[in-house]
Structure formats: C-alpha cells, structure tokens
Amino acid sequence: MLFNSHFFIFVFLPIVCLGYHLLNKAKFHEFAKIWLIGGSLYFYSYFNISYLPLIVLSVLTNYMLVKGMMRGQKFWFIPGLVFNIGLLCYFKYMNFFLENFSVVTGVDFNLTKIIFPLGISFYTLQQIAYLVDVYQDVVEEEKKLVDYAVYVTFFPCLISGPIAHYDLVLPQFQELKNKVFNSKNFSLGIYLFCLGLFKKVIIADSLSPFVNESYENPANLHLITAWATSLGYTLQLYFDFSGYTDMAIGIAKMFNISIPQNFNSPLRAANINDFWSRWHMTLTSFIKGYIYTPIIRSMPKPTFKNSMIAMFIAMTIAGIWHGPAWTFVLYGMVHGLAIVIHHNWKKKKKKLPYLVGWFITFNFVNLGLVLFRAPNLKAAGEVIAGMVGLQGVQLPKMGIGFFESASGLGCEVWSLYDK
Amino acid sequence: MSKADVMNKLATIMQELFENSSLVVTEETSGDDVDEWDSLTHISLIDSIEKQFKVKFGLGELMKLKNVGQMADLIIKKTA
C-alpha cells in the first residue's frame, strides 16, 4: 500500500485517522492506540501477510528483553542485539551472503529465496537505539507495551523512515494534548502530504521510466544520455525520497504527531559533511550516534587518524544498510573516503568559494548515486564510462538538425556503439 | 555542584582543548559557534568531561546534546 495509491488516500487513511480521533474524543485513549497499532499492522501486512509475524515477533521480543533489562537483568542486552541484527542480517543479507560464499567456495546451495520484509531496516534500527539506551540507563521510565508498539509500528515511518528516535516520538503518543483533534495540525498535515505527493508522483515518477530504461541498457548510453541518466536519477531519488518523507510527516501530523525532518535541501550542500547533515538526516544521526561514536570511543585514543578510520567504517556500514549488494558497499566506502578527504582538507583551513564547493559536492553525490542505482558494478561502470565520453557522443536529433541547417554541410557523428 | 560551577569548569576544559584561552562559553554555545569543535574534537571533549566530572554518558544522551548548557544540565543530573 503506497502512500500515493487510491486505496491508501481514500480508504485506509481516512478510516484509520477517523477511528483514532473518534476513540480519543470518546476518551478511549488506550483503544485509540490499539486501533492505530491495528491499522499500522494492517498497512504492513497489505504488502505481504508473511511480514506480519515478523514485526510482531520483533516488537514483542524487544519489549520483553527491555522490560527484563529495566528490572536489573542487563545480560539480555547482547541477546537483544544479536536478535535484532540477526533478524536483519538473515532476511536482508542471507541471500547476498550465500551467493558470495557460493562464488568463493564453489559450493552450491539450493537457494530458496528468502523473503525480504519491507521496513525491517527501519524498525530494527529504532529498536536497537532503544535497547542500547535502556542498557546504558538512559531511559528512565518503563514504557507500556501499547505505547512501545504504537511507536515502533507507526505506519507513516514504517516503510521508508524517518528513523524517529523513541525519545522524540514515543512521548507524543502519551501527551493528552495530542489526543484532541487539532485542525491546524490536520490542515498542515494535508498540505505536507500534497506537497510530497506532487514531488513523488509528478516529478519523481516522471523521471523514473527514462532512468529505468537507461539502467537496463547502460552500455548504450553515450555522453549526453549518460549524464541525463545520472542527473535524472539524482533528481528522481531526491524528489521520491523527500516527497515520501513529506507525506510521512504530513500523515503523522494528522495524528498530532511530529516526526523529525529528513531532508533539508541536500542538493545545495557546500561540502560532503554538509550533504549528510541535509540528506536522510535521521540516518546520519543514527550512524553518528550509535555507530561512529561507539567505534571511536572503543579505540585507545581519539586521534585524527582513528577518527578517520571510524568514519570510514561507519559510512561503509551505512552503505550496506541500504541493501544487499556490492554496489551499496562501494557506495558507502566512496562516501566514507569523501568525508575523510573533506576532514583532511578542512585542516588546511583554506575555504573554497561556495559555488566551487557546491559544484564538487553535487557532482560527487551525483556520481555516487550511479553506484547506488546501478543493478551491478558492471552497469555502474558503463554509465560512468558513458559520462566521461568512453561510449561516444551523439548529438540529439534536434541538435543535428540545427548544425545541418546552420552549416549547410552534413553532420558526422562519432560513436563507439551503433544505436 | 551549581550550574555556574559546572559552566566554569566546562569553559576551562574547552579553552584547553580548543587551545583558545579567550574562548567565551555560554549556555547556547554549540559546535556551530566554535570552529575547532567538530565531530572529532567532540569525542575528546566528552572524554575530558567524563574524566573530570567522573560521569559516563550514554550514546542516547550524547545524541541529544545540542549546546553547552544542556551538557551542564546533564552533568548536574548525573552528579546529583
């Protein structure tokens, strides 16, 4: 059930929203939350009913482990981490791991396709953050199962984030003022939803057919079409992802819940650090807070070199979190390297003019997204080869016509591949 | 410890770490205000604070700290 589907907009959302507000108005606050949990689980199962037992298992297990930890049984922390990371690894990365193992060892597994449940990357990270905080005595009060579940399963964030830290969102479900229908919030929610819908359906979805076609035959891309493809995808991804996030934030607002921002004009970033503070902001926060920080704090001394190593590792992890493919690993590593380079450049204290910094950053990001989108490394290589002119140049038909009429001569076009 | 005491001690730690004895530190001071305060020096800062105040910060707590004032509040809470 995508946000931009008729069923979601005209059936699911109105029913869940209306039910939630009516139940709250009648002062059945706990039932309102249960209604919302039910709606979120229905939303999740709509994609595939076999996802349902997984999320229920994940939420209940984490809740029980956390409860045990808050009563002094801290030893549940490691099993908890293993459970969450294990679940994520099994469903998301097992096929990838087995395929590569097969390639290296020649052992052939009868690979039954393991189903990849949507959203598991998001609700797993949210719960890991909570698990860690409980272990480190950061969480003061035990939460009720209803409150914990309504937070983790909250359907606006379930499939594509933002990765809402429990501290920011869970308390909002408990506040009395949020149980009163608020027309300002509701209309703001509708506005944001429409904004996001436009970004996704009109802009992103218009770009995607061309981009998809290009990535299916990347060897056919020449200089102009390769650049059009890479720029097209960068814009498509930005409008799709930020649009979807806008819709998520808007939907949450209809329930009086404020979820964190995830994008802040990232394509205007002046440097790669700036970029990551504007793109998928909640992921950056999570990586910085729960991956980079523990890595560097576990090292003997927080030297510059150690910090660079920690950042590189953290970004590589961020890369592979996106999906089970070498392109994602490389994407993470390349961004990790860029951040390391940026920090080294910063040491020189020579500030570049904004336009120069922006130009370098934007092109780097654009190139990185070729890796992100390409179905495999070979395709990525072909797109990049096209971008640097190794796959020829063809003037668009319009251009040829112009030259022919302007010069009175024919126009010869050089290309390595016949199209 | 009073907040003023904590703020003074934090100012001293920061002046030493950022090698700037004239650094002015207020409750609103954050990484945006001080050039030398980045994700790397932040870790050194946290290490120094933990050692000098004899406290331990959790990852979730570190994530939320936006300025020196909030650091001071957290330290007071942990040393109470």
Side-chain angles (χ1 to χ4, degrees):
Chain A
M1 207 197 306
L2 295 175
F3 292 163
N4 54 310
S5 65
H6 296 112
F7 185 73
F8 179 83
I9 296 174
F10 296 111
V11 182
F12 178 80
L13 185 60
I15 292 177
V16 177
C17 209
L18 193 67
Y20 183 73
H21 285 296
L22 283 178
L23 284 166
N24 271 321
K25 188 154 175 118
K27 307 244 194 282
F28 295 129
H29 300 309
E30 300 305 288
F31 278 118
K33 288 181 204 163
I34 293 172
W35 171 263
L36 184 51
I37 294 170
S40 294
L41 291 178
Y42 176 79
F43 175 83
Y44 194 55
S45 322
Y46 196 87
F47 290 94
N48 191 326
I49 189 71
S50 49
Y51 294 171
L52 183 62
L54 188 65
I55 195 172
V56 171
L57 175 73
S58 176
V59 170
L60 288 178
T61 306
N62 274 297
Y63 184 74
M64 306 243 287
L65 293 176
V66 156
K67 198 163 182 155
M69 279 171 30
M70 288 200 97
R71 289 176 189 190
Q73 299 159 15
K74 289 290 179 77
F75 56 79
W76 288 118
F77 178 61
I78 299 288
L81 270 186
V82 169
F83 172 73
N84 282 301
I85 297 174
L87 218 62
L88 187 63
C89 282
Y90 177 72
F91 286 100
K92 197 165 176 176
Y93 301 104
M94 199 48 142
N95 279 327
F96 177 61
F97 173 71
L98 290 176
E99 274 162 22
N100 284 287
F101 190 76
S102 196
V103 164
V104 169
T105 61
V107 176
D108 232 347
F109 296 95
N110 202 350
L111 295 174
T112 41
K113 197 92 196 280
I114 298 168
I115 236 168
F116 172 27
L118 292 174
I120 191 172
S121 314
F122 294 96
Y123 64 73
T124 297
L125 289 194
Q126 287 185 178
Q127 295 187 94
I128 287 176
Y130 190 63
L131 197 79
V132 168
D133 283 11
V134 168
Y135 178 69
Q136 295 187 320
D137 293 318
V138 169
V139 182
E140 282 157 23
E141 272 175 16
E142 222 180 84
K143 313 276 184 275
K144 292 189 290 188
L145 176 60
V146 160
D147 290 336
Y148 182 73
V150 80
Y151 156 68
V152 176
T153 62
F154 194 38
F155 72 90
C157 310
L158 195 50
I159 302 302
S160 324
I163 299 166
H165 199 257
Y166 69 88
D167 203 50
L168 294 170
V169 175
L170 207 156
Q172 294 184 55
F173 285 107
Q174 297 166 321
E175 280 167 44
L176 206 57
K177 70 169 172 24
N178 290 330
K179 303 187 199 287
V180 178
F181 179 77
N182 184 322
S183 53
K184 194 163 161 210
N185 280 342
F186 197 78
S187 48
L188 182 63
I190 293 181
Y191 167 73
L192 284 170
F193 184 84
C194 292
L195 200 71
L197 192 64
F198 180 86
K199 278 173 157 182
K200 177 170 166 47
V201 174
I202 304 302
I203 305 181
D205 288 353
S206 301
L207 290 165
S208 81
F210 167 70
V211 170
N212 291 344
E213 210 192 287
S214 297
Y215 273 101
E216 268 163 41
N217 296 295
N220 286 343
L221 295 172
H222 59 82
L223 186 72
I224 296 174
T225 47
W227 275 95
T229 301
S230 71
L231 291 170
Y233 182 66
T234 298
L235 292 173
Q236 176 200 335
L237 184 65
Y238 168 67
F239 284 108
D240 194 300
F241 201 359
S242 71
Y244 218 75
T245 304
D246 291 342
M247 287 194 267
I249 296 174
I251 296 165
K253 261 275 174 256
M254 297 180 203
F255 291 87
N256 290 329
I257 304 292
S258 297
I259 53 182
Q261 203 187 1
N262 227 5
F263 292 89
N264 183 15
S265 300
L267 300 179
R268 290 192 209 176
N271 58 62
I272 196 69
N273 249 29
D274 191 23
F275 174 76
W276 282 106
S277 74
R278 293 165 173 267
W279 176 281
H280 208 167
M281 292 154 68
T282 57
L283 178 69
T284 303
S285 278
F286 181 89
I287 296 289
K288 203 156 52 169
Y290 290 94
I291 307 223
Y292 166 77
T293 302
I295 292 177
I296 191 168
R297 299 199 84 190
S298 72
M299 291 167 143
K301 271 188 120 184
T303 61
F304 183 77
K305 182 159 163 253
N306 282 348
S307 167
M308 296 300 108
I309 294 172
M311 282 202 213
F312 183 76
I313 296 174
M315 284 311 290
T316 305
I317 293 174
I320 196 162
W321 171 85
H322 282 89
W326 288 113
T327 45
F328 289 121
V329 176
L330 200 59
Y331 175 76
M333 289 172 95
V334 153
H335 271 267
L337 196 63
I339 291 178
V340 166
I341 292 172
H342 169 72
H343 278 277
N344 278 287
W345 173 269
K346 247 177 110 178
K347 277 173 107 178
K348 296 193 206 296
K349 301 221 190 253
K350 266 186 285 186
K351 233 184 158 184
L352 288 173
Y354 170 72
L355 278 179
V356 178
W358 169 80
F359 186 77
I360 297 173
T361 309
F362 179 83
N363 276 294
F364 171 77
V365 165
N366 188 50
L367 214 62
L369 287 178
V370 170
L371 273 173
F372 191 82
R373 171 61 179 82
N376 51 59
L377 291 174
K378 177 164 176 275
E382 285 164 349
V383 174
I384 295 174
M387 286 168 80
V388 299
L390 291 174
Q391 288 176 179
V393 184
Q394 284 176 29
L395 289 176
K397 291 198 184 78
M398 200 176 80
I400 296 176
F402 172 78
F403 278 112
E404 278 182 341
S405 57
S407 66
L409 307 164
C411 195
E412 233 178 53
V413 164
W414 163 73
S415 71
L416 288 174
Y417 289 85
D418 268 339
K419 200 174 176 177
Chain B
M1 283 188 94
S2 74
K3 191 154 185 185
D5 287 335
V6 176
M7 286 298 301
N8 279 334
K9 225 172 159 186
L10 284 175
T12 313
I13 295 174
M14 289 172 72
Q15 282 158 0
E16 234 182 77
L17 183 66
F18 302 139
E19 291 171 350
N20 181 351
S21 49
S22 55
L23 180 70
V24 170
V25 173
T26 69
E27 292 195 21
E28 280 82 44
T29 307
S30 75
D32 296 334
D33 308 310
V34 185
D35 261 342
E36 295 84 359
W37 189 358
D38 58 26
S39 43
L40 168 64
T41 51
H42 183 73
I43 300 296
S44 304
L45 179 63
I46 297 297
D47 279 352
S48 290
I49 294 175
E50 282 187 340
K51 279 203 189 77
Q52 297 210 21
F53 287 96
K54 302 206 188 4
V55 292
K56 270 236 96 185
F57 294 117
L59 295 173
E61 289 170 327
L62 289 175
M63 254 186 108
K64 288 190 282 192
L65 295 179
K66 298 284 177 251
N67 55 42
V68 182
Q70 288 181 359
M71 279 183 175
D73 290 335
L74 189 58
I75 292 167
I76 291 172
K77 202 170 101 173
K78 285 179 167 295
T79 52

